[in-house]
Amino acid sequence: TRLALESPPPAVFQPHVDAIAPPVFAAAGDRYYKVAAEAMRVCSALVPILRPGGAAAPVAPGARTHVVVLVDAALARVAAADQDQEVKEAAITCVGVAAAALGDAMGDRLGKVLGLLLERLGNEITRLAAIKAITLVAQSSLLPDLAAVAPAIVKELATFLRKANRPLRQASLTALDALVVHHAAALRDPDAVALVSEAASLVSDSDMALASLALALSASVVRCAGFPDAAAQVCALVLPAALGLVRSPLMQKQALSSLQAFFAALVSAKLPGASFEALLSSLMDPKKTFGGGGGAGGEDSGAAATGAVAVGRSAAKCVAAVCASVGPAATASTVATLIAELETPRQGGGGREDLLALLCLGELGRRADLSSSGAAADGLEKVLLAAFDSPGEELKSAASFALGGVAAGNQARFLPVILNGIGANPKRQYNLLLGLREVIHALGDEPSTSAAAAAAGGRGDFRGGVSPLGAAELDKVLKILFAHSSSDEEGVRNVVAECLGRLTARDPAGLMPELRTRVDPAGAGRDPNTRMTAVTAAKYAVLASTDASLPAISDNLRIFVGQAPLTDEDRGVRRAAVQTLSAAAHARASLVLPLLPDLLPILLEQTVIIKELIRVVDLGPFKHTVDDGLDLRKAAFECCDTLLHTCLAPGGGVQLEHLNAAPGYLAALGTGLGDHYDIKMVAHQSLAKLCAVAGPAVLAALDSLVDPMGKTLTAKLKSDAVKQEIDRNEDLLRSCLRAVVALEKLEGAADNATFTTFLEKRVTGSEKISPKYAIIKAEAKAGGVMGDEH
């Protein structure tokens, strides 16, 4: 009944509520807890049916009687002390849903509901359900009067922020935010001060989800004019923690969005301790943003430089948010400061000062036109192009990001700079293409076709968060992208493919035919690099696809991952096809399912080791073995593993036995388990998954699987092995042992003499391996228990 009530629009069942409600209310009083709990859930599903028009519509006169009976039934369960936990939680949820949607029709029962919810906050068993119910009531558009309970609720919720229970802290932060946003008048300044003091300790990168919620709550407090002391507390406690969070390389999207909103709220509130100038100074100070360390111009290690770019981007987004909250004048003055910063000569070629300045210009450019005057535009163009000659790749990439962001904000002025420069300056070609990619990234996701564009070229304008890319501009962009699709540089081809794929996702009908011709060796795809780029572009089209563009992409997918590209004479094209198939299976498994009967056998063929592709290079003092087929095999094994997870697993849509694919998988694993390190790691994962979906087939092939695994477990490192090699070997051993655990769980594995001998000699009987195996088994058991609980 509950599922039926929740599926269609509420108005469908409204005429039948007189027949549905009485037996449900009667079941709510059933003595069997399972029946009573489910009846409470059905009562929750009945609430929108009693008011199908939402809060804006009145409760139907005939439904008011049902409202009273429903609330009384739920209150009886909430108030009773001797209730099963499942019934209590369902009843608390029910009164919360009812109070949020029907509070104005409940009369004095609303006060009783609020009092009981406050009371249930004091019970450790029911407090989480009570918090969620309070959140529903606080967020209600009916705006019920919470003055009698709000201060006590806030006081109680603030103490929960100290608890170790993470879901409790998350729910408490959400409820507190709802109370501050919608019921600030019911709270006093000391109440807000208390919650800010507790929330401030959660603003750290140890838990980004909690930090995001705490920042959102702090921003809500600052926006309320009635909490001056609490706002001062935000500046004193939360602001320093937020500035520290900006420097975290662990930043996540939601936390970054909350940070931007927090800084914007602080500046808009014009608080004494958080002026625009002071906040901008902290965010744009490289020493405060990056801390100590080397420069980005080439002195950092790869990992440190990558972390610096991530931190710089976070700071740049916050700078852009702060400027946007103040207005165009603040943006203009900030841009002038950044240009002057980039024009300042520095020893060593710039470093992190220039890195941060470029990233800030890119983010500011995405949000506004930075060329308000010709002089400003010329100065901006000059410093951005000069940055392409910086000594470090990080600064060049930042310059690409900056130019792309600025061009997104003013395509008429800066897009030609990118397009003309790609052909005119080969040394800057790759970085300018990266800038073009930023422009395409900044475009909206949804296409909008104008009549003029259709008449001009048949392709749609792309209108989104930035500005439209008209038919003439699109034609220029496509001409350049297709011209560079055959580049010998893999980096250039990858950027071109991503740009083409994202554009195709917005206009598949117009661009799919262009890509199709470039996959055909007899057509525009005579060059293997061109075919490779077109196939990779299809991958990005799938990843960027929307519900509107998906059918057209689905109809053409076989062209890019079918028999022709998977059997292409060029290994690069085959690898691109395998990677595209893998990406499609991961992101849009439904597109791949119809293709599997034909493609899976061809895919499994790509896992075979071809000895002719293995060569020995003489380097004088020593020789080096090169396997030209390794990348393709690795991609094929990864694709097979992805298919096992998304398409061939139980409930994935296709069963292995229907495809008769288990023997092919096992044959591939027979070689993969003894292949290169990277392939072994994937093969171990696939074998564990295969045990779950094709146990009998794995059991039949067990004899051929244990030998390569035994060699992995007994392999010895060189005496002069470095720490990285030791760590990799440890990871490989753990990976192999996870597969052994999966094999051991197979029904009948204990009766296989080869496997039991392997287990006794190589695993449990090994002084080195046995302790590791015990740990892996314990982890697997703990994971299984947790999975059962969920």
Side-chain angles (χ1 to χ4, degrees):
T1 302
R2 175 167 57 88
L3 295 177
L5 295 178
E6 291 173 344
S7 300
V12 172
F13 283 104
Q14 210 280 331
H16 310 286
V17 71
D18 290 338
I20 298 171
V24 173
F25 298 154
D30 197 277
R31 296 178 61 183
Y32 182 44
Y33 77 97
K34 286 287 186 183
V35 173
E38 188 58 36
M40 284 288 96
R41 297 187 189 103
V42 177
C43 286
S44 298
L46 273 174
V47 169
I49 295 172
L50 296 176
R51 197 172 204 162
V59 178
R64 286 185 176 271
T65 304
H66 295 308
V67 172
V68 173
V69 178
L70 183 150
V71 173
D72 286 345
L75 281 175
R77 289 291 187 177
V78 175
D82 56 341
Q83 297 291 314
D84 182 86
Q85 182 179 351
E86 185 178 352
V87 178
K88 287 181 181 179
E89 291 179 351
I92 290 171
T93 301
C94 182
V95 296
V97 171
L102 305 169
D104 57 340
M106 290 169 57
D108 58 0
R109 288 174 175 80
L110 178 60
K112 189 175 182 181
V113 166
L114 296 175
L116 281 173
L117 290 178
L118 174 59
E119 184 181 322
R120 291 296 171 261
L121 287 178
N123 188 313
E124 189 172 350
I125 296 176
T126 58
R127 62 176 45 149
L128 185 58
I131 294 171
K132 293 178 179 179
I134 288 170
T135 303
L136 291 175
V137 178
Q139 292 173 338
S140 171
S141 57
L142 297 175
L143 296 177
D145 184 6
L146 304 184
V149 296
I153 288 175
V154 167
K155 182 179 180 180
E156 194 74 23
L157 293 178
T159 64
F160 294 163
L161 300 183
R162 308 173 202 160
K163 303 291 185 182
N165 187 327
R166 186 172 181 271
L168 184 68
R169 287 185 289 174
Q170 283 184 302
S172 298
L173 287 167
T174 304
L176 286 168
D177 189 52
L179 287 166
V180 170
V181 171
H182 301 289
H183 301 276
L187 302 175
R188 300 165 300 163
D189 200 3
D191 300 325
V193 169
L195 67 89
V196 168
S197 298
E198 298 294 345
S201 63
L202 300 178
V203 181
S204 74
D205 61 1
S206 60
D207 191 323
M208 282 294 185
L210 288 177
S212 176
L213 294 172
L215 286 167
L217 173 59
S218 301
S220 298
V221 170
V222 168
R223 294 187 190 103
C224 295
F227 301 144
D229 291 342
Q233 193 83 333
V234 169
C235 293
L237 299 179
V238 181
L239 178 56
L243 290 171
L245 197 63
V246 173
R247 297 193 291 267
S248 173
L250 305 176
M251 181 61 65
Q252 297 172 358
K253 184 177 181 180
Q254 186 57 46
L256 183 55
S257 297
S258 296
L259 261 180
Q260 294 176 72
F262 172 73
F263 288 133
L266 277 181
V267 173
S268 298
K270 299 180 180 179
L271 299 174
S275 65
F276 167 72
E277 294 77 11
L279 193 52
L280 201 64
S281 175
S282 295
L283 290 171
M284 292 175 56
D285 185 342
K287 293 182 180 178
K288 292 182 180 179
T289 299
F290 299 112
E299 300 173 18
D300 282 349
S301 67
T306 302
V309 172
V311 171
R313 289 204 173 194
S314 298
K317 286 182 180 292
C318 293
V319 167
V322 168
C323 291
S325 68
V326 176
T331 299
S333 65
T334 303
V335 169
T337 300
L338 293 169
I339 292 176
E341 184 79 21
L342 290 168
E343 289 176 338
T344 303
R346 290 188 186 86
Q347 186 176 3
R352 289 181 169 176
E353 294 86 352
D354 288 355
L355 175 67
L356 185 56
L358 289 167
L359 295 174
C360 287
L361 284 174
E363 288 296 340
L364 289 166
R366 283 170 173 258
R367 299 178 184 232
D369 179 3
L370 302 189
S371 58
S372 54
S373 68
D378 293 342
L380 194 56
E381 178 183 344
K382 180 180 177 181
V383 296
L384 293 180
L385 292 179
F388 286 128
D389 298 325
S390 302
E393 289 302 318
E394 290 75 28
L395 283 176
K396 292 179 181 178
S397 296
S400 301
F401 174 78
L403 182 57
V406 170
N410 186 342
Q411 293 176 15
R413 174 65 178 83
F414 289 102
L415 185 58
V417 174
I418 296 176
L419 299 182
N420 295 335
I422 290 174
N425 196 327
K427 290 184 178 180
R428 295 178 176 175
Q429 183 183 94
Y430 174 70
N431 292 104
L432 288 169
L433 283 169
L434 288 177
L436 179 59
R437 183 183 67 177
E438 292 299 329
V439 176
I440 295 172
H441 272 216
L443 296 173
D445 291 331
E446 295 296 332
S448 174
T449 305
S450 66
R459 297 193 181 102
D461 287 352
F462 303 132
R463 304 183 184 276
V466 182
S467 58
L469 184 63
E473 290 82 3
L474 179 59
D475 285 337
K476 293 178 182 177
V477 169
L478 290 174
K479 183 177 180 181
I480 289 174
L481 292 176
F482 285 131
H484 290 84
S485 64
S486 59
S487 172
D488 291 332
E489 295 184 25
E490 185 177 5
V492 170
R493 294 198 306 271
N494 285 337
V495 176
V496 168
E498 184 175 354
C499 293
L500 287 172
R502 288 183 173 274
L503 292 173
T504 301
R506 296 176 174 89
D507 183 19
L511 294 183
M512 268 297 179
E514 300 275 6
L515 293 182
R516 289 182 58 158
T517 62
R518 285 165 173 79
V519 180
D520 184 6
R526 288 184 292 274
D527 187 283
N529 286 344
T530 300
R531 300 198 298 275
M532 205 183 312
T533 303
V535 171
T536 305
K539 176 182 74 174
Y540 287 108
V542 171
L543 296 177
S545 63
T546 63
D547 292 339
S549 62
L550 199 58
I553 294 174
S554 176
D555 293 341
N556 289 275
L557 186 60
R558 186 182 290 270
I559 301 297
F560 303 96
V561 300
Q563 181 175 2
L566 282 177
T567 57
D568 194 282
E569 63 182 15
D570 186 84
R571 286 193 310 278
V573 177
R574 298 202 299 274
R575 177 164 61 95
V578 169
Q579 290 172 335
T580 299
L581 178 62
S582 182
H586 180 75
R588 300 277 190 174
S590 59
L591 302 184
V592 174
L593 291 175
L595 310 179
L596 287 183
D598 297 332
L599 300 188
L600 196 53
I602 305 175
L603 174 64
L604 291 170
E605 290 176 3
Q606 310 306 315
T607 65
V608 177
I609 298 175
I610 301 176
K611 294 182 178 180
E612 290 76 12
L613 296 178
I614 300 175
R615 52 195 172 87
V616 177
V617 179
D618 191 347
L619 299 177
F622 56 91
K623 295 182 179 180
H624 178 60
T625 301
V626 177
D627 186 347
D628 292 325
L630 176 60
D631 289 342
L632 175 58
R633 293 202 310 280
K634 181 183 176 183
F637 272 103
E638 289 174 343
C639 183
C640 288
D641 185 68
T642 300
L643 290 173
L644 273 178
H645 179 67
T646 60
C647 301
L648 303 175
V654 179
Q655 299 299 315
L656 273 173
E657 57 265 26
H658 296 161
L659 299 176
N660 194 29
Y665 257 95
L666 289 165
L669 290 178
T671 59
L673 291 170
D675 206 326
H676 185 271
Y677 171 89
D678 292 338
I679 293 178
K680 285 181 182 180
M681 295 288 284
V682 180
H684 294 151
Q685 296 178 35
S686 297
L687 179 56
K689 293 173 184 175
L690 205 58
C691 289
V693 300
V698 174
L699 194 63
L702 205 50
D703 291 356
S704 63
L705 300 176
V706 297
D707 182 57
M709 296 175 74
K711 292 179 180 178
T712 296
L713 294 176
T714 57
K716 294 183 179 181
L717 287 172
K718 297 178 181 178
S719 59
D720 58 348
V722 297
K723 184 178 184 301
Q724 183 181 11
E725 293 174 323
I726 295 172
D727 291 343
R728 280 167 56 90
N729 186 64
E730 285 296 314
D731 291 340
L732 183 62
L733 292 177
R734 290 175 60 83
S735 174
C736 182
L737 291 175
R738 290 189 190 98
V740 175
V741 170
L743 291 172
E744 191 179 12
K745 291 180 180 178
L746 287 175
E747 185 177 353
D751 300 326
N752 185 290
T754 303
F755 179 71
T756 53
T757 302
F758 158 79
L759 205 59
E760 293 170 0
K761 290 186 176 182
R762 306 298 189 194
V763 183
T764 58
S766 168
E767 185 177 342
K768 172 187 174 185
I769 300 298
S770 181
K772 302 180 191 296
Y773 187 58
I775 294 173
I776 296 295
K777 288 189 73 172
E779 291 174 353
K781 185 177 181 181
V785 171
M786 290 177 64
D788 293 341
E789 290 176 352
H790 290 307

